[in-house]
Amino acid sequence: MRPKSVSFIGLGRMGSEMAFNLFSKKFAQASDTHFVICDAIPDASKSFCETFISQFPGAKIGIAATPEEAVLASQTIITMLPSSPQVQTVYAQANGIIPTLRSLPPDAARNTLCIDSTTLDVKIARDVAADVLLTGADIVDAPVSGGVTGAKAGTLAFMVGGTPEGFILAEPILAYMGARIVHCGPSGAGLGTKICNNLILGVQQVAVAEGMLLGQKLGLDPAVLAAVINSSTGSCWASSVNNPVPGALPEKSPPCERDYEGGFATALMLKDMGLATDIASESGSPLPLAHAAAKIYSEVLKSQPELARKDFSSVYRYLSNASAAGTKVAFGELVSVRK
Ligand code: NAD
């Protein structure tokens, strides 16, 4: 059964949408494929299974209680977990992926492909990948860009790190879930690419929030200001797609129009800024603006914890509230300037 089986571990906001696309498209092509899901929250697996079966009656889908069961069932395993600690647990723990791969006959291990789409620390990912490769199995890091909307639509961008052979094996599987799949280099290169991208994005979103807030103070119409920025040199995704001011993008529907719901969580952006600043300090790369932005996101969560799960463009609301309270924000430090 292993060759015709695919396991997906981590059915959160991204993973559940990705697994649904992968399984439904694969089922349409080969209805004898066996699907296996695994999550630390048993109800997440149960409700995924029930929804999938209700839409694809006759599909073979099962629940693995542990990563070990998922590996024993399938020679293709996709993981989509919160971050480094969960990846270490799922891959390296006693009933995890790596010890199970070691226990398989050499041929079965050699035919196994692991795809980790988690955004995590590059060094930890490389260490995990090295241990997987020692078992004879292949692994690629394949973090994504595109958010829950892209995961649902099957239009994610995958940034892949691994051997050319690993990329060739992974690409057709990733194509069920994404529209753009780029081989960025060896193990860890996909993650490195993702982290550099998100560091730029995190800084840009703060800069757009600052510029748009200043515009409000100057009495400018947010739609006029955004239209000029978006056709001028200040243009960037944070302004033209994810503008944080309600009414700034009348033709679009950014998260700010829904009380900052449904985007990329501020807590995840803070995690990604931390991954960038950590790896930069190890490699001696200066990140003055990323450090300042990371401090600001951290302060957002400390002072307004309700923004942790809301879109990170809600940093605009934080700055706006700080301004209304007469609080100065300097490099992420709050300094009271008005009693
Ligand atoms: P999430 O927290 O919604 O989902 C993670 C899932 O993993 C949960 O269902 C959790 O129960 C499960 N899990 C945790 N530990 C486990 C374990 N030991 N065994 C099995 N399952 C376990 O997170 P998400 O929003 O789906 O994000 C997943 C990854 O994708 C993160 O690394 C995130 O940074 C990245 N990402 C997220 C977005 C986004 O918009 N949400 C966008 C791009 C990238």
Side-chain angles (χ1 to χ4, degrees):
M1 187 183 87
R2 280 189 92 242
K4 288 197 166 190
S5 174
V6 183
S7 284
F8 203 108
I9 305 178
L11 299 163
R13 280 176 289 180
M14 294 293 287
S16 57
E17 304 293 352
M18 292 164 68
F20 205 90
N21 269 319
L22 170 64
F23 290 3
S24 52
K25 291 178 192 172
K26 187 93 185 138
F27 179 68
Q29 265 182 5
S31 60
D32 59 343
T33 309
H34 196 277
F35 305 110
V36 177
I37 48 170
C38 175
D39 196 281
I41 303 169
D43 277 353
S45 303
K46 202 166 156 265
S47 81
F48 182 95
C49 241
E50 285 167 2
T51 310
F52 191 74
I53 284 285
S54 71
Q55 293 194 28
F56 299 94
K60 295 175 194 157
I61 182 162
I63 297 175
T66 60
E68 177 182 29
E69 287 183 18
V71 175
L72 293 175
S74 311
Q75 68 178 32
T76 304
I77 300 124
I78 299 128
T79 44
M80 188 53 160
L81 299 159
S83 195
S84 309
Q86 294 81 10
V87 167
Q88 284 176 310
T89 302
V90 164
Y91 277 84
Q93 73 182 4
N95 56 359
I97 293 174
I98 294 166
T100 312
L101 286 170
R102 286 190 191 122
S103 73
L104 290 177
D107 269 2
R110 253 197 309 279
N111 289 327
T112 303
L113 172 69
C114 300
I115 299 175
D116 183 27
S117 283
T118 312
T119 306
L120 76 153
D121 180 86
V122 176
K123 188 175 174 319
I124 290 173
R126 283 188 176 139
D127 288 348
V128 166
D131 286 343
V132 169
L133 292 170
L134 279 176
T135 69
D138 216 331
I139 180 166
V140 295
D141 47 288
V144 303
S145 175
V148 177
T149 314
K152 205 179 178 94
T155 56
L156 290 170
F158 284 96
M159 294 151 267
V160 185
T163 60
E165 297 76 23
F167 179 73
I168 288 168
L169 291 173
E171 193 179 18
I173 297 155
L174 299 177
Y176 289 114
M177 301 175 276
R180 189 152 180 265
I181 302 151
V182 181
H183 188 202
C184 301
S187 177
L191 275 166
T193 306
K194 163 81 183 168
I195 290 168
C196 292
N197 178 72
N198 276 26
L199 129 70
I200 295 168
L201 172 64
V203 170
Q204 280 178 334
Q205 196 69 65
V206 175
V208 170
E210 288 179 0
M212 292 300 297
L213 182 59
L214 177 60
Q216 305 304 284
K217 301 274 177 200
L218 297 175
L220 303 177
D221 178 333
V224 173
L225 176 58
V228 173
I229 292 171
N230 295 335
S231 58
S232 306
T233 44
S235 179
C236 57
W237 185 90
S239 171
S240 63
V241 178
N242 214 38
N243 198 293
V245 184
L249 300 177
E251 310 289 311
K252 298 180 181 165
S253 179
C256 68
E257 301 292 356
R258 301 179 298 280
D259 193 27
Y260 300 97
E261 291 294 342
F264 183 56
T266 311
L268 286 180
M269 176 47 86
L270 178 60
K271 177 194 82 164
D272 289 0
M273 298 301 283
L275 293 174
T277 50
D278 284 354
I279 192 125
S281 64
E282 280 166 36
S283 60
S285 178
L287 295 187
L289 291 181
H291 275 287
K295 269 185 169 179
I296 291 171
Y297 288 117
S298 159
E299 198 54 52
V300 173
L301 298 197
K302 249 188 264 163
S303 65
Q304 292 175 248
E306 71 280 7
L307 298 182
R309 286 180 71 82
K310 293 196 186 263
D311 185 70
F312 70 116
S313 62
S314 61
V315 67
Y316 171 81
R317 177 177 285 173
Y318 160 79
L319 291 177
S320 178
N321 288 348
S323 150
T327 306
K328 190 176 163 201
V329 183
F331 287 99
E333 310 283 357
L334 288 175
V335 184
S336 182
V337 289
R338 200 167 67 203
K339 291 271 181 293

